[in-house]
Amino acid sequence: MSTFLWVIYPYICLAVFVVGHVWRYRYDKFGWTTRSSQLYESRLLRIGSPLFHFGMLGVVGGHVLGLLFPQDWTDAVGLSHEAYHVIALAGGIPAGIAAVVGLAILVYRRRTVGPVFSATTVNDKVMYAVLGTVIVLGMWNTVAGSLFTIGGEYNYRDGVSPWFRQIFWFQPDASLMAAAPVGFRLHAFLAFTLIAMWPFTRLVHVFSAPLGYLTRPWIVYRSRDERPGRGTGTRAQKRGWEKVQ
Amino acid sequence: MRPMAQMAMVMNLDKCIGCHTCSVTCKQAWTNRSGMEYVWFNNVETRPGLGYPRGYQDQEKWKGGWTLTKGGRLTLRAGGRLNKLLNIFSNPRMPAMSDYYEPWTYDYETLLTAPAQQNFPVARPHSLISGKPVNIEWSANWDDDLGGSLEHAAKDPMLKGIEDKVTFEFDQTFMFYLPRICEHCLNPSCAASCPSGAIYKREEDGIVLVDQDRCRGWRMCVTGCPYKKVYFNHKTGKAEKCTFCYPRIEVGIPTVCAETCVGRLRYIGLMLYDADKVLEAASVEDDHDLYEAQRSVFLDPFDPEVQREAERAGIPGDWVAAAQRSPVNALINTYKVALPLHPEYRTMPMVWYIPPLSPVVDVVKDTGHDAEDSDNLFGAIDALRIPVEYLANLFTAGDTGPVDAVLRKLAAMRSYMRDINLGRDPQAHIPAAVGMTEEEMYDMFRLLALAKYDERYVIPTAHAEQAHGLEELATDCPVTGYDDELLDISGPFGEGSGRGNATPVAIENFHMLQQRQTSETLVGGGSSAGRVNLLNWDGKGAPDGMFPTSRADRPGEDEAEESGS
Ligand code: SF4
Ligand code: SF4
Ligand code: SF4
């Protein structure tokens, strides 16, 4: 069972994640959008959305630090376990709180503002439920596990983190996860579920973060014929009818 | 010099009767889809008035367009690139639905199902957004014909500086209509605001388009456009804007809004301009210089040097010829009667306007004087500062000089032509008073009053050798089969997602349109199922499905009638 949960399942999810994105990008470029609902309501959005998104950026940064950097490295630069802990909590708690509060405002907005609610698809609702649970579980692990050490101290950098890194060199040790507290196990399991759902939800917009905007020229010029296979008119060229070069 | 070609439009405001036909036909062709209910690519607003969306000209509030930094550099008024990215999660300057209006429909079902009763049943308005009954409080032309102007018109941002002089006493006010479409600017701030780079200006004809596959719904363009002519489709989550009806322009027929204009007041033609000079012209310090600065960007298509450079830049010869015949060029550069709308936004707009003389004429007429006498009119233009200053706020960033000059030309033309029409001796001193010869005056009159279809619309076709879509030669009308798809366009990830669910834009193919355009009779190609396709309509006859078929045309009907009686 733990082999399935902590070895097979993550790989399935990651495969779905990668293949799903390629497929979605090819099949549905038109549907690849943030699907913003700002037009309907912007007062609550103005507070909730930046809180949530910037909070999430912090949370993701924290995960990179906690999961990808082995404990040896921080030890090597002379960062004691306690010091790391303080830094992680000082950064993680505010980011986490921002994300949770932001999410709460956004969910409240979705539920109470009529037009926003009617623009919410089933797909969105399922995604919000999973995302919300993952975030709340993560918060619980941090607050209960690390801050107040309810149910004993657990150093995820000895358990969850090595297992996570092992996934990428294809030797995950399921027993590391099996030994983790239930909160961590649930968080990891649902996080992988979310990863598998990712390409099929509006979350794809994360990969459109428009960083190129910082360097490109102000005005984009494009030729009418730039898209290969498209000429005057909008039909794609059929195979076998390509233009002679 | 880097010559580029630009499709441009001029509208003669004196002729606009405010019928909204252009808005309706554009909507019919482009925005009668769910998610776009509130959108009018073409709208006609009554001035003075608030416009659509409400008060969009107040850039202190909306932050559209460009502005100069202290150092004289051009930058987006809503903030630079980093600022844009930091605000990407919630755009602080985005107009809300209520700034446009909440679209609605009526509950016609009640009418159809009402039992016989003493009182007429009433169809109540329902919101198209929430589906609930609404109280209609605003629309795209709520203050049409100065309706409710006592309450609204005073809030017109364009009255700034002259508000104490304008009264809205019924007998003292003035008004005119201002039809607006996207300006297809030379320096489009919508494109500059787009973080994804999805909005682009076409190299061949300067039409500004949104790539629907690249737009990610960041909504910065909505703020960036000072004319508020980019709209957010709230169903698909993508930005959409006026396309200058490019599938029509490519085959040489005018835009839907121009084709159907009842006043025949729209002119479409090509302008050549020097792309290297745009930035410099958009950055001149004084707002009042922007009109002349923009004119200095245009190239004279008769200049052999320009022709050589144009050829080197790959602009086809027939396009240069079209630029020479361009009515737009004539109105902007030869007669200098067309002015840009809000040059102070520094986007270098390319839909220009001939300001209306009618507010002046009306006053002269009302005071019992001869409203076609040039001296009376000249005197009135000098005396009636309010309409002139108002027009200057719209067209020249407040500089009354150019507006005065245009109005005097129009006034001169009016009285000069009266003499000719009445068989009197034409008076050469009238054109001379505005610095024109009699021939020039007559030619201008011809273009403004008599010009035929092919003089008003000089549109070179896109080049077949540039068009790759040759397979369309061999296929049948691609309209077939779309109607069914249109009925159900919600894909797996929301409205319009998935391949093949988006409605193709050029539904009719290149050759069919060309055939229609050059033949005397109608060629088939409308669509079935009662969906009127105005995008393909070329003004010949009535489009299929526009009107119910008449009795006599309906087979079987007559006999039924007879046998029944
Ligand atoms: S008027 Fe049109 S081209 Fe100009 S900024 Fe607005 S949307 Fe862009
Ligand atoms: S050019 Fe076409 S899309 Fe633009 S306003 Fe006119 S009809 Fe509408
Ligand atoms: S159709 Fe022509 S006359 Fe009528 S409102 Fe539009 S621009 Fe004016």
Side-chain angles (χ1 to χ4, degrees):
Chain A
M1 183 61 191
S2 77
T3 315
F4 173 76
L5 278 185
W6 310 120
V7 180
I8 301 174
Y9 188 65
Y11 280 119
I12 294 177
C13 293
L14 286 173
V16 171
F17 181 81
V18 174
V19 177
H21 272 101
V22 173
W23 170 81
R24 175 89 188 264
Y25 190 74
R26 296 171 60 112
Y27 170 75
D28 182 34
K29 257 188 230 161
F30 183 63
W32 193 293
T33 147
T34 55
R35 293 239 326 278
S36 161
S37 57
Q38 186 172 1
L39 193 64
Y40 303 130
E41 199 282 343
S42 66
R43 213 172 40 85
L44 285 171
L45 188 84
R46 182 77 196 131
I47 311 166
S49 178
L51 259 183
F52 171 73
H53 283 95
F54 285 116
M56 279 315 283
L57 284 180
V59 168
V60 169
H63 277 72
V64 169
L65 210 65
L67 289 179
L68 295 186
F69 287 77
Q71 197 163 351
D72 306 349
W73 294 12
T74 47
D75 288 349
V77 294
L79 199 65
S80 71
H81 184 65
E82 286 69 31
Y84 168 84
H85 208 64
V86 171
I87 293 175
L89 286 182
I93 300 258
I97 289 177
V100 170
V101 172
L103 186 72
I105 296 177
L106 291 181
V107 170
Y108 169 78
R109 171 178 177 273
R110 269 212 177 256
R111 190 62 200 87
T112 55
V113 180
V116 185
F117 186 58
S118 43
T120 309
T121 61
V122 177
N123 183 319
D124 289 338
K125 288 176 195 161
V126 175
M127 186 274 287
Y128 279 122
V130 177
L131 180 69
T133 319
V134 172
I135 293 176
V136 168
L137 277 172
M139 251 338 243
W140 169 258
N141 290 340
T142 313
V143 175
S146 301
L147 201 56
F148 302 118
T149 54
I150 298 170
E153 192 165 352
Y154 173 70
N155 183 5
Y156 57 82
R157 295 211 294 164
D158 286 338
V160 182
S161 304
W163 163 77
F164 186 74
R165 286 194 297 275
Q166 284 159 1
I167 290 178
F168 294 96
W169 27 95
F170 303 105
Q171 283 168 343
D173 178 0
S175 63
L176 281 174
M177 269 319 274
V182 65
F184 281 89
R185 274 182 286 156
L186 271 176
H187 179 68
F189 177 77
L190 280 178
F192 271 104
T193 311
L194 186 67
I195 283 176
M197 286 165 58
W198 202 287
F200 312 104
T201 63
R202 67 204 302 181
L203 290 179
V204 291
H205 75 266
V206 170
F207 295 100
S208 306
L211 296 176
Y213 184 51
L214 293 173
T215 51
R216 73 139 215 262
W218 279 122
I219 316 280
V220 179
Y221 289 91
R222 248 167 73 180
S223 168
R224 195 167 49 217
D225 297 333
E226 187 157 294
R227 278 192 295 178
R230 298 283 170 118
T232 312
T234 49
R235 303 182 98 209
Q237 210 165 22
K238 292 280 174 341
R239 253 195 290 169
W241 288 92
E242 290 92 352
K243 202 184 144 215
V244 179
Q245 292 299 329
Chain B
M1 193 193 300
R2 190 156 58 94
M4 288 185 90
Q6 169 79 39
M7 284 313 303
M9 190 186 282
V10 169
M11 302 192 207
N12 183 358
L13 293 185
D14 256 334
K15 291 199 196 174
C16 181
I17 57 174
C19 64
H20 299 275
T21 307
C22 46
S23 310
V24 172
T25 49
C26 171
K27 187 156 198 54
Q28 223 291 330
W30 289 103
T31 60
N32 63 347
R33 291 169 280 138
S34 115
M36 299 291 276
E37 310 91 346
Y38 76 102
V39 173
W40 298 85
F41 287 167
N42 182 113
N43 75 294
V44 183
E45 47 203 45
T46 303
R47 308 309 316 211
L50 288 186
Y52 158 84
R54 239 181 288 196
Y56 67 94
Q57 287 147 314
D58 184 0
Q59 302 309 342
E60 296 295 311
K61 180 172 179 201
W62 299 118
K63 305 275 182 206
W66 302 89
T67 182
L68 288 183
T69 60
K70 286 212 182 64
R73 243 176 9 94
L74 201 62
T75 180
L76 289 175
R77 194 188 280 269
R81 300 172 197 258
L82 203 56
N83 181 301
K84 285 253 147 55
L85 290 193
L86 289 177
N87 276 307
I88 209 163
F89 302 128
S90 146
N91 178 351
R93 304 284 175 181
M94 167 136 167
M97 186 73 91
S98 56
D99 291 307
Y100 300 91
Y101 68 100
E102 185 159 353
W104 72 88
T105 182
Y106 292 94
D107 172 23
Y108 296 108
E109 197 60 24
T110 333
L111 302 186
L112 296 173
T113 56
Q117 56 189 7
Q118 200 157 26
N119 300 317
F120 274 111
V122 176
R124 292 219 291 155
H126 283 253
S127 164
L128 281 171
I129 302 297
S130 63
K132 305 224 168 66
V134 280
N135 189 15
I136 304 169
E137 284 169 337
W138 196 258
S139 79
N141 57 344
W142 197 247
D143 50 358
D144 211 18
D145 293 338
L146 296 182
S149 61
L150 280 180
E151 196 185 326
H152 306 303
K155 290 184 229 141
D156 181 345
M158 289 299 100
L159 290 172
K160 216 170 249 168
I162 51 173
E163 54 271 78
D164 45 330
K165 301 187 223 160
V166 180
T167 57
F168 286 97
E169 301 297 319
F170 184 68
D171 50 346
Q172 285 170 34
T173 190
F174 65 97
M175 74 164 223
F176 59 93
Y177 302 104
L178 181 71
R180 294 198 307 122
I181 68 171
C182 161
E183 299 278 343
H184 297 275
C185 308
L186 298 184
N187 185 31
S189 52
C190 57
S193 309
C194 173
S196 313
I199 303 188
Y200 61 100
K201 192 166 177 62
R202 292 215 300 194
E203 280 161 12
E204 289 86 357
D205 50 19
I207 295 177
V208 178
L209 295 172
V210 185
D211 185 336
Q212 293 291 304
D213 279 350
R214 282 200 204 175
C215 172
R216 301 284 175 250
W218 301 122
R219 335 174 274 300
M220 291 298 164
C221 51
V222 182
T223 306
C225 173
Y227 304 90
K228 290 291 165 283
K229 280 293 171 190
V230 188
Y231 302 87
F232 191 72
N233 180 327
H234 59 89
K235 279 280 156 53
T236 63
K238 305 247 164 171
E240 295 190 29
K241 64 181 286 300
C242 155
T243 62
F244 214 78
C245 293
Y246 71 87
R248 293 174 59 98
I249 294 290
E250 282 173 6
V251 296
I253 54 179
T255 66
V256 167
C257 52
E259 174 82 75
T260 56
C261 174
V262 171
R264 303 189 173 186
L265 57 91
R266 299 186 183 214
Y267 298 81
I268 297 177
L270 215 54
M271 292 296 284
L272 298 182
Y273 70 101
D274 185 353
D276 284 339
K277 285 216 262 175
V278 172
L279 184 63
E280 189 193 329
S283 322
V284 295
E285 203 182 327
D286 187 354
D287 282 353
H288 289 182
D289 295 337
L290 280 161
Y291 161 57
E292 278 304 330
Q294 182 167 3
R295 268 191 357 94
S296 76
V297 170
F298 299 138
L299 298 172
D300 177 7
F302 293 99
D303 181 349
E305 162 84 25
V306 169
Q307 292 169 0
R308 254 196 317 280
E309 288 294 329
E311 192 186 342
R312 199 168 305 154
I315 298 176
D318 58 338
W319 279 53
V320 176
Q324 292 174 343
R325 292 198 298 122
S326 163
V328 172
N329 188 37
L331 294 169
I332 291 178
N333 281 328
T334 316
Y335 306 122
K336 297 199 188 63
V337 286
L339 300 172
L341 180 65
H342 292 305
E344 72 273 23
Y345 299 159
R346 297 175 184 272
T347 61
M348 306 263 118
M350 285 309 292
V351 173
W352 287 37
Y353 294 86
I354 303 177
L357 185 65
S358 53
V360 176
V361 174
D362 289 347
V363 173
V364 177
K365 215 182 317 179
D366 290 347
T367 53
H369 290 87
D370 177 2
E372 291 181 50
D373 178 88
S374 58
D375 291 332
N376 283 352
L377 285 171
F378 288 167
I381 293 169
D382 292 337
L384 292 173
R385 298 324 288 166
I386 296 160
V388 175
E389 281 176 32
Y390 185 86
L391 291 173
N393 277 352
L394 282 182
F395 299 116
T396 50
D399 181 7
T400 51
V403 176
D404 266 335
V406 175
L407 293 184
R408 290 172 71 90
K409 276 183 190 163
L410 297 177
M413 182 178 86
R414 195 177 162 89
S415 67
Y416 177 74
M417 285 312 300
R418 178 176 62 171
D419 287 333
I420 294 183
N421 287 338
L422 294 181
R424 299 188 207 142
D425 286 338
Q427 304 184 40
H429 74 87
I430 298 180
V434 291
M436 293 174 85
T437 66
E438 288 187 81
E439 283 75 27
E440 279 173 345
M441 182 116 287
Y442 189 76
D443 286 344
M444 181 167 96
F445 165 76
R446 263 197 56 80
L447 184 56
L448 289 182
L450 306 176
K452 292 272 177 346
Y453 192 87
D454 55 353
E455 293 168 86
R456 278 181 285 132
Y457 309 126
V458 179
I459 305 165
T461 50
H463 270 246
E465 67 268 22
Q466 296 169 348
H468 297 239
L470 283 175
E471 102 279 19
E472 296 194 338
L473 265 177
T475 52
D476 61 352
C477 172
V479 169
T480 335
Y482 280 132
D483 289 315
D484 300 336
E485 278 172 29
L486 288 173
L487 296 178
D488 178 26
I489 51 171
S490 55
F493 307 112
E495 193 85 25
S497 65
R499 192 186 281 167
N501 277 330
T503 315
V505 171
I507 298 175
E508 201 168 29
N509 68 38
F510 183 81
H511 287 274
M512 181 171 276
L513 265 178
Q514 212 170 33
Q515 213 182 336
R516 285 176 73 96
Q517 191 202 353
T518 47
S519 78
E520 286 298 314
T521 54
L522 282 171
V523 179
S527 56
S528 53
R531 195 183 160 91
V532 185
N533 190 349
L534 280 177
L535 186 59
N536 305 330
W537 185 51
D538 56 4
K540 288 177 186 166
D544 263 356
M546 175 85 110
F547 304 107
T549 41
S550 73
R551 276 257 165 97
D553 295 348
R554 256 177 283 170
E557 194 96 332
D558 282 343
E559 295 97 90
E561 198 89 330
E562 271 153 33
S563 58
S565 60

